[in-house]
Amino acid sequence: MAHKQADEAKRREPRKQPRRPQPSLLERIQPDAAGVDCGERSHFVAVPVERDPEPVREFPTFTAELIRLADWLAQCRVKTVAMESTGVYWIPLYEILEERGFEVVLVNARDVHNVPGRKSDVQDCVWLRELHSVGLLRASFRPSADMVPLRSYLRQRETLVEEASARVLRMQKALTQMNLMLHVVVTDITGATGLAIISAILAGQRDPDLLAAHRDYRCHASRAEIAAALTGNYRAEHLFALRQNFEAYQFLLKQIEECDAAIEALLATLAEKQPPPQAALPAARRPPQLNNHAPRFEIRTPLHRLTGGADLSQIHSIGPHAALQLIAEIGTDMSRWKTEQHFSSWLALAPHNKVSGGRLLSSRTAPSANRAALVLRRCAMSLSRTATALGAFYRRLAARVGKAKAITATARKLAVLVYRALSGRLVYQDPGAIRYHLINRAREIKSLRKRAKLLGLELINLSTGEVLLNANPVS
């Protein structure tokens, strides 16, 4: 009975209010800071405890509630807000707060996941505010508000191109299942000859000679070879798949054209906001080449004005389309990164050294899905057969450490050139593969001289018999 009475007395006692967060022992360098834990259904927001009797509140993710959230932050005299980059749920709130004049710091959830105590949304937002108020959070990179729409258009275009490529593969599969080996006799089934033949097949034509009559005069295969490849076993289910994928491909091409029109208009608008550059647009490094995936409008002229006179397409392997993708991803303000080393590290193209006890445990590059780094890697892959200094650098590394590491190293070198060009410190001119080999040879000879002197030896030129004395003593 006594135990029951004691339990009943405990239940009758008023519940203790949850403890408010204790003041930080560190100096608050940002006292007007708030923290937001973003979610799909609601956001939890924490403000300084002295600014409101209820310093932690929950707001649903509806637009009206997000506006009320911004009003509450303004009422609490908050100037800077830290939020986690959770999925895409943070984007509407980020844009609303940015429009209202708040300084918004987007934080990688990987950097703040170690919350002390039990994990909860309330403790997450309080912990974010606490870390942000003492200056222990670093903001993730996000382009300027003017550049974000351009990035969105280009990412949408890339998605459409990927979907169109998938439809082309499905068309080729349907043709192969009917033993129509069109891809053997034409380079691209979406070229003039391929599309004309596929359209005729879908229109009901089955005669190989009549189908081969659609051969374009630029096609390398003869009419007889095309006719032999188009003698197939037509089946209704494969024709059905061919028709659907062909129509989807045509629809995606139309959407890509609409996307290109929007990109062209926005790029012209952004370029008009910038003053004309002092330096004239240099001549194109090579004449424009027909590419199914590249936009059809002029890119170099507005991009030259947008970047303040920098022309990234002068760097080998970076074409106008790749330059546009890079500018959309990284912007034009290179002061967002302190040095070119910080820039290459943000791209995850620099070695990620792990040191413990004075020993280097690993130096692999960190895993990343950075889109700008992907563009630079694609550009690096195209340098393998070029007679350029960058191509010679790639081939030298590929022979020594393998192609995968050579691509990463060359992409990092491209990133450094892009950083210097956009910073106004470089007008790129290719020294050529021969010049690169001479410089590298001189560097290796200098290194060998130092090594030989340490061992008490001298180098001898076998062709002349001359002793290569060490002109640079080891310090």
Side-chain angles (χ1 to χ4, degrees):
M1 289 292 293
H3 289 294
K4 290 184 179 179
Q5 290 177 356
D7 293 341
E8 214 167 302
K10 284 184 180 179
R11 281 195 292 269
R12 290 176 183 174
E13 289 181 2
R15 293 184 178 179
K16 293 182 179 180
Q17 296 294 329
R19 289 185 179 182
R20 291 187 176 182
Q22 296 296 324
S24 174
L25 297 178
L26 299 176
E27 180 184 359
R28 296 188 183 279
I29 61 177
Q30 294 177 339
D32 303 322
V36 181
D37 182 67
C38 300
E40 179 183 5
R41 298 180 179 274
S42 61
H43 302 320
F44 286 83
V45 189
V47 298
V49 293
E50 68 275 4
R51 304 289 175 91
D52 193 271
E54 189 182 354
V56 179
R57 294 188 183 184
E58 180 183 6
F59 293 87
T61 53
F62 305 128
T63 303
E65 294 296 326
L66 297 184
I67 295 175
R68 190 167 68 87
L69 186 158
D71 294 338
W72 181 59
L73 291 178
Q75 180 184 347
C76 295
R77 305 186 306 280
V78 170
K79 296 180 181 179
T80 177
V81 182
M83 63 172 63
E84 288 188 26
S85 56
T86 308
V88 295
Y89 305 128
W90 59 271
I91 295 179
L93 178 60
Y94 185 102
E95 294 174 346
I96 290 175
L97 294 179
E98 190 179 41
E99 290 175 359
R100 295 288 293 270
F102 293 96
E103 178 190 3
V104 188
V105 176
L106 186 65
V107 183
N108 193 329
R110 179 183 58 190
D111 298 339
V112 294
H113 73 283
N114 291 323
V115 181
R118 293 185 178 180
K119 174 78 167 64
S120 68
D121 295 327
V122 173
Q123 289 185 339
D124 277 354
C125 65
V126 173
W127 182 244
L128 279 171
R129 188 200 67 79
E130 187 76 14
L131 293 177
H132 189 37
S133 65
V134 297
L136 292 179
L137 294 182
R138 57 179 181 178
S140 299
F141 172 78
R142 181 172 168 85
S144 62
D146 292 339
M147 200 66 65
V148 169
L150 180 62
R151 185 180 70 170
S152 299
Y153 282 130
L154 282 168
R155 288 184 177 183
Q156 171 65 10
R157 188 185 190 279
E158 187 176 357
T159 301
L160 295 175
V161 170
E162 291 175 357
E163 293 179 0
S165 300
R167 294 295 178 177
V168 172
L169 293 177
R170 293 188 182 124
M171 282 194 291
Q172 183 172 323
K173 179 182 178 181
L175 290 170
T176 303
Q177 287 175 321
M178 293 184 290
N179 205 31
L180 299 173
M181 309 305 289
L182 182 61
H183 65 280
V184 174
V185 292
V186 299
T187 304
D188 184 9
I189 66 171
T190 60
T193 302
L195 290 179
I197 291 175
I198 293 175
S199 299
I201 291 174
L202 295 176
Q205 184 60 257
R206 301 291 181 267
D207 189 344
D209 294 327
L210 295 179
L211 291 174
H214 294 283
R215 172 187 175 273
D216 188 85
Y217 70 94
R218 294 166 294 182
C219 185
H220 293 289
S222 64
R223 188 166 174 176
E225 291 174 337
I226 296 177
L230 295 178
T231 303
N233 180 26
Y234 294 92
R235 294 179 62 91
E237 65 271 24
H238 301 321
L239 287 170
F240 178 79
L242 178 63
R243 180 181 299 278
Q244 286 205 325
N245 287 293
F246 180 77
E247 292 174 354
Y249 175 72
Q250 296 293 335
F251 174 72
L252 288 169
L253 289 182
K254 181 180 178 182
Q255 286 196 316
I256 292 174
E257 291 179 1
E258 294 174 357
C259 197
D260 286 346
I263 294 172
E264 183 179 13
L266 180 59
L267 185 60
T269 302
L270 293 176
E272 289 175 358
K273 295 181 181 179
Q274 304 296 326
Q278 297 180 354
L281 177 66
R285 182 168 46 83
R286 62 180 183 180
Q289 297 179 349
L290 185 62
N291 188 342
N292 292 337
H293 300 316
R296 295 290 189 264
F297 60 88
E298 168 62 22
I299 297 177
R300 295 182 66 241
T301 301
L303 203 59
H304 180 255
R305 181 168 180 174
L306 180 62
T307 56
D311 185 13
L312 298 183
S313 63
Q314 294 297 312
I315 302 175
H316 284 278
S317 78
I318 299 181
H321 185 206
L324 179 61
Q325 289 177 307
L326 287 173
I327 294 300
E329 292 294 334
I330 65 178
T332 58
D333 183 14
M334 292 295 102
S335 63
R336 301 286 294 273
W337 297 274
K338 293 182 181 180
T339 62
E340 58 195 37
Q341 288 81 9
H342 288 81
F343 180 59
S344 58
S345 177
W346 173 76
L347 291 169
L349 294 175
H352 184 61
N353 294 334
K354 295 181 181 180
V355 181
S356 178
R359 292 179 55 217
L360 180 62
L361 303 180
S362 173
S363 60
R364 291 187 176 184
T365 53
S368 174
N370 192 301
R371 293 174 183 259
L374 292 177
V375 174
L376 291 173
R377 288 178 186 275
R378 286 199 297 264
C379 294
M381 292 174 64
S382 65
L383 287 167
S384 59
R385 298 184 180 180
T386 59
T388 61
L390 290 170
F393 173 80
Y394 168 81
R395 289 189 292 271
R396 181 176 68 85
L397 285 185
R400 193 182 72 185
V401 298
K403 292 184 178 180
K405 293 182 179 180
I407 289 173
T408 300
T410 309
R412 184 197 174 279
K413 185 174 283 290
L414 289 173
V416 171
L417 295 176
V418 168
Y419 182 90
R420 294 176 181 175
L422 292 178
S423 300
R425 297 189 286 114
L426 173 69
V427 178
Y428 181 76
Q429 292 182 350
D430 177 43
I434 297 177
R435 176 65 176 168
Y436 173 81
H437 285 304
L438 292 175
I439 294 175
N440 184 63
R441 183 177 182 274
R443 187 187 304 118
E444 290 183 354
I445 291 176
K446 181 179 179 181
S447 176
L448 288 173
R449 282 176 174 175
K450 290 184 178 181
R451 182 69 174 165
K453 185 172 183 179
L454 289 175
L455 297 175
L457 304 174
E458 296 289 351
L459 299 182
I460 297 179
N461 190 333
L462 295 179
S463 60
T464 61
E466 177 186 3
V467 177
L468 302 178
L469 298 176
N470 190 357
N472 299 316
V474 180
S475 57

